[in-house]
Amino acid sequence: MSEKLLLQKIDNLETLIIQLNDKIDNYFGMEDISTEEREEIQKLGDEVASGEYVTLNDL
C-alpha cells in the first residue's frame, strides 16, 4: 500500500471518528446513524479485529 493511500485512509478514518463523536455528543442513542455509517463502523471494527490496520508508528 502506498504512503499516499495510507494517509488518505487515515484522513477518512479521522473524519468518520469525528462524525461519530459528534453524533454521540448530541444524542445518547445510535439510532440516528445511517445504515451506511453502521456498515462502515462494522467494517472498521472487523479490520481492527483481524489485524488489518497500520499503526502511526509503522508509517
Side-chain angles (χ1 to χ4, degrees):
M1 219 183 268
S2 72
E3 182 178 335
K4 189 174 185 178
L5 183 59
L6 286 174
L7 291 175
Q8 182 181 10
K9 282 190 166 212
I10 290 170
D11 285 341
N12 290 342
L13 289 173
E14 181 180 22
T15 301
L16 287 172
I17 291 169
I18 290 169
Q19 290 173 350
L20 180 58
N21 192 42
D22 288 343
K23 288 185 181 208
I24 291 170
D25 286 344
N26 291 328
Y27 192 72
F28 287 125
M30 297 286 275
E31 57 268 7
D32 289 340
I33 294 176
S34 71
T35 302
E36 182 180 294
E37 290 169 324
R38 285 181 191 273
E39 289 171 358
E40 185 66 24
I41 291 168
Q42 182 63 46
K43 180 182 172 188
L44 291 172
D46 292 345
E47 287 176 357
V48 170
S50 68
E52 295 179 34
Y53 63 91
V54 176
T55 66
L56 291 176
N57 292 334
D58 293 339
L59 294 176

